[in-house]
Amino acid sequence: MRRERRRYQRAAVQGTGVPGEFHLRTGGRSFQFTRVHDVSISGMGVSLPVSLPKGEMVALDFNSVDFSMVLSGKVIWCVTQEPELGCPFRVGIEFDATNKQDSAVFFMTLREYLDHYEDDF
């Protein structure tokens, strides 16, 4: 059994209800994704159509009519999963620790779309 090492509680994002688009960019490639498994001020897990190596640097974009943000991060883990919307890989991304203000803004912007959001995050 894997030991939980997260410092912050995570919540899932209801991808169909978010009025914007998520993209992950790495190595000249870009992938749109709609399923965010968990998000906190320190990172997020996403479903992707490709496997990414641990340690790979990525950029996460979120764009909507009212808000746009790019966060940098790195792949912490990547595992196979039952394909979900054509995405057989689940990838854990840790946000750049030197930019906690942007990751906190990102998290607070998405908080109304989080499953089971509670005020004690």
Side-chain angles (χ1 to χ4, degrees):
M1 187 166 151
R2 200 168 85 180
R3 192 182 102 216
E4 179 62 54
R5 294 184 290 180
R6 295 177 180 152
R7 291 178 294 183
Y8 303 101
Q9 184 175 351
R10 303 253 174 145
V13 174
Q14 303 167 13
T16 57
V18 178
E21 292 184 349
F22 293 101
H23 290 88
L24 181 140
R25 292 182 289 117
T26 184
R29 302 177 294 169
S30 180
F31 305 97
Q32 184 175 356
F33 59 93
T34 58
R35 182 66 175 125
V36 177
H37 296 279
D38 45 20
V39 63
S40 79
I41 63 169
S42 65
M44 64 195 296
V46 301
S47 288
L48 291 176
V50 298
S51 175
L52 297 176
K54 183 177 178 179
E56 183 162 346
M57 301 306 293
V58 299
L60 296 162
D61 301 342
F62 177 75
N63 295 294
S64 71
V65 173
D66 301 325
F67 183 74
S68 182
M69 177 166 261
V70 177
L71 291 174
S72 58
K74 71 178 174 180
V75 174
I76 298 300
W77 51 263
C78 181
V79 297
T80 58
Q81 66 178 0
E82 284 295 318
E84 160 177 303
L85 301 174
C87 295
F89 299 96
R90 188 167 170 173
V91 181
I93 308 294
E94 180 179 61
F95 298 143
D96 180 356
T98 63
N99 208 351
K100 288 211 182 285
Q101 183 174 359
D102 281 353
S103 56
V105 168
F106 178 77
F107 178 75
M108 294 305 290
T109 301
L110 294 180
R111 73 186 182 279
E112 70 182 276
Y113 306 107
L114 301 177
D115 289 337
H116 310 298
Y117 177 75
E118 296 175 10
D119 290 333
D120 62 351
F121 269 81

